[in-house]
Amino acid sequence: MATHDGQMISYLKSFGFPEFNVHPAVNHFDFARGQRRILVIGPMGSGKTEYSSRVWRDSQVALRKSDTLAASMKCGDADRRRVFFVRSSLDTGRFPEYPDDALAYRGGFERCGDAIAKIRDSFELEEVIRSHPEYGTWIIDEVSFYDERIAYVIMRESEQRGLVFIFPTLILNFRKDIFNSTARLLLELATDVFPLTAYCEHRDCMSDSFYTYRYYLVDEKECPALYFDPLIIIGGDREKQDPREPSYCTRCDVHHYLPGKEYTFLILKPLGVEASKGNLEPLRRELSLIQNDIEHSRLYAHFEEKYLRGGSGAGQLGFEAGNSGTSAEPADAGVNMNALSVPCIAEKAVIYLYLEQNLLSQNQLVALTSELELDREYLGQRLQDHGRLVNLLQPQ
């Protein structure tokens, strides 16, 4: 048992407590320890940004301490008691009701004044750090959304100057995969990890949740996002009634539905590989059916076999295989089938093959958009979310 835990037990026993298990408390932040890179991970709603707000409040107390103590919390010109908050300039949809200088979380916010900035990439982070050399603790919200280079910028500033970085971020995406290569690099460079959980937001469940769940509302029905749904969709985390825009919540393994994963690798990606070799017709045919006659598509046939007939190892009717290895409720078959009710499925398949798999050329993307009369507005917005600007008009 650690010395600190032993002291805590002795302290509590002095009040007459019997033998019991002592669970770790949330301690005040230690501004004396430099060169730390702290990951605060968990699903949406688990309190990642609220953790950061506690660090901010602790800093206001620490700044009132004596000069003798202050020396232990400084590294050159930087004072680790001085906290700077960084957000993505793309993430303007969250908490629109709060002030521009707010470190905002569900249920409250802290006003940061001048100690806040919005950035687009690692180069802008470098500039902000260079312009504010007096700040020793940096909170970078959702750092996984930035380019890979940011991990090495952070490592350099931490090791050379003794700065502390705190990352309240999603490490897993809605597919339950490592979010991206930036997230993987963050795992490698982290010195501390604080994993947080939330209650599963399924109405019949109180289990711990580790996962962010993406779904759409179509005629008030829950429609899980397909596996090949665009990886990044900018627009906040509130529930939305627009069937083209996703809603998010947190779910446990059993109630995190992810239909279409097998289809993606068994059928969709091989069609993309064939297209990359110059044979676009099989993919064009499948996308046309998804767009105009989905019940005759290979996508629908796969879902029908898996969820309605119990094929592909799914067990009896309605049992979902591949979520947690345990059988789900019979109603889950209907929930998974609902995924085919959302609009723009063909557009999502094209984005997946073009952006994530690099199997479609830009010319093929433009050609499919024109020939199948795909939704240019939707495609353009999703491409922009991923930082890509493509003219989707067929060249004359």
Side-chain angles (χ1 to χ4, degrees), residues 232-367:
I232 298 174
I233 297 181
I234 295 173
D237 55 6
R238 296 164 294 169
E239 186 171 88
K240 297 182 178 179
Q241 300 298 319
D242 184 347
R244 293 158 56 96
E245 296 294 328
S247 299
Y248 296 91
C249 67
T250 177
R251 291 282 181 91
C252 69
D253 198 44
V254 170
H255 295 114
H256 185 287
Y257 307 115
L258 191 60
K261 184 172 183 178
E262 295 91 334
Y263 168 83
T264 299
F265 293 102
L266 286 172
I267 300 171
L268 180 61
K269 188 173 178 179
L271 291 175
V273 171
E274 192 68 17
S276 71
K277 298 175 182 178
N279 183 13
L280 191 60
E281 183 53 35
L283 175 62
R284 182 190 289 112
R285 184 166 55 250
E286 172 69 356
L287 293 175
S288 178
L289 288 171
I290 291 174
Q291 181 86 340
N292 303 303
D293 189 12
I294 194 169
E295 291 190 2
H296 289 92
S297 69
R298 297 176 69 181
L299 174 63
Y300 189 90
H302 178 85
F303 270 55
E304 190 174 44
E305 174 66 20
K306 180 172 178 61
Y307 300 118
L308 299 183
R309 296 175 184 165
S312 301
Q316 299 178 3
L317 175 63
F319 286 175
E320 163 68 355
N323 278 340
S324 63
T326 59
S327 296
E329 296 295 325
D332 292 348
V335 174
N336 282 298
M337 290 298 295
N338 287 347
L340 301 182
S341 300
V342 300
C344 298
I345 294 177
E347 288 83 351
K348 294 172 182 183
V350 168
I351 290 170
Y352 176 80
L353 295 175
Y354 173 71
L355 280 177
E356 293 190 48
Q357 300 300 314
N358 295 313
L359 292 172
L360 294 181
S361 69
Q362 184 169 318
N363 286 339
Q364 288 175 320
L365 169 67
V366 173

Side-chain angles (χ1 to χ4, degrees), residues 190-225:
T191 61
D192 304 80
V193 178
F194 288 82
L196 305 177
T197 65
Y199 281 136
C200 174
E201 292 188 70
H202 190 280
R203 60 179 297 176
D204 297 323
C205 185
M206 285 285 285
S207 297
D208 276 342
S209 168
F210 298 92
Y211 305 112
T212 295
Y213 173 58
R214 181 189 287 182
Y215 65 100
Y216 295 82
L217 289 175
V218 180
D219 298 328
E220 300 186 354
K221 294 187 303 184
E222 175 188 329
C223 303

Side-chain angles (χ1 to χ4, degrees), residues 57-305:
R57 289 192 292 271
D58 284 352
S59 74
Q60 305 309 297
V61 175
L63 283 167
R64 297 197 293 268
K65 298 300 180 180
S66 68
D67 292 342
T68 302
L69 281 176
S72 67
M73 293 178 271
K74 292 183 178 180
C75 42
D77 295 333
D79 188 334
R80 286 188 288 269
R81 298 173 300 170
R82 302 197 68 173
V83 177
F84 201 100
F85 182 57
V86 177
R87 288 184 62 189
S88 169
S89 58
L90 298 176
D91 188 17
T92 58
R94 297 177 68 201
F95 310 117
E97 68 276 18
Y98 290 162
D100 288 340
D101 68 341
L103 190 168
Y105 54 91
R106 290 173 177 81
F109 63 90
E110 300 292 333
R111 300 290 295 270
C112 298
D114 294 332
I116 188 170
K118 295 179 181 179
I119 66 169
R120 290 176 299 178
D121 54 34
S122 61
F123 295 98
E124 291 192 357
L125 176 64
E126 279 183 306
E127 179 58 34
V128 172
I129 292 175
R130 190 160 43 243
S131 302
H132 299 84
E134 69 274 24
Y135 287 90
T137 297
W138 293 78
I139 300 171
I140 307 179
D141 196 38
E142 297 297 3
V143 70
S144 296
F145 289 179
Y146 299 106
D147 55 286
E148 301 166 351
R149 181 177 178 272
I150 202 166
Y152 293 100
V153 171
I154 288 164
M155 178 70 83
R156 182 190 66 210
E157 297 293 332
S158 175
E159 292 187 339
Q160 292 183 3
R161 297 185 55 206
L163 303 185
V164 169
F165 291 88
I166 301 171
F167 316 119
T169 190
L170 294 169
I171 289 294
L172 300 179
N173 57 34
F174 76 95
R175 299 172 185 162
K176 300 195 294 187
D177 296 332
I178 297 293
F179 197 88
N180 54 20
S181 54
T182 302
R184 192 171 297 280
L185 287 171
L186 290 172
L187 290 173
E188 294 177 8
L189 65 82
T191 61
D192 304 80
V193 178
F194 288 82
L196 305 177
T197 65
Y199 281 136
C200 174
E201 292 188 70
H202 190 280
R203 60 179 297 176
D204 297 323
C205 185
M206 285 285 285
S207 297
D208 276 342
S209 168
F210 298 92
Y211 305 112
T212 295
Y213 173 58
R214 181 189 287 182
Y215 65 100
Y216 295 82
L217 289 175
V218 180
D219 298 328
E220 300 186 354
K221 294 187 303 184
E222 175 188 329
C223 303
L226 292 158
Y227 181 84
F228 55 85
D229 216 57
L231 185 58
I232 298 174
I233 297 181
I234 295 173
D237 55 6
R238 296 164 294 169
E239 186 171 88
K240 297 182 178 179
Q241 300 298 319
D242 184 347
R244 293 158 56 96
E245 296 294 328
S247 299
Y248 296 91
C249 67
T250 177
R251 291 282 181 91
C252 69
D253 198 44
V254 170
H255 295 114
H256 185 287
Y257 307 115
L258 191 60
K261 184 172 183 178
E262 295 91 334
Y263 168 83
T264 299
F265 293 102
L266 286 172
I267 300 171
L268 180 61
K269 188 173 178 179
L271 291 175
V273 171
E274 192 68 17
S276 71
K277 298 175 182 178
N279 183 13
L280 191 60
E281 183 53 35
L283 175 62
R284 182 190 289 112
R285 184 166 55 250
E286 172 69 356
L287 293 175
S288 178
L289 288 171
I290 291 174
Q291 181 86 340
N292 303 303
D293 189 12
I294 194 169
E295 291 190 2
H296 289 92
S297 69
R298 297 176 69 181
L299 174 63
Y300 189 90
H302 178 85
F303 270 55
E304 190 174 44
E305 174 66 20

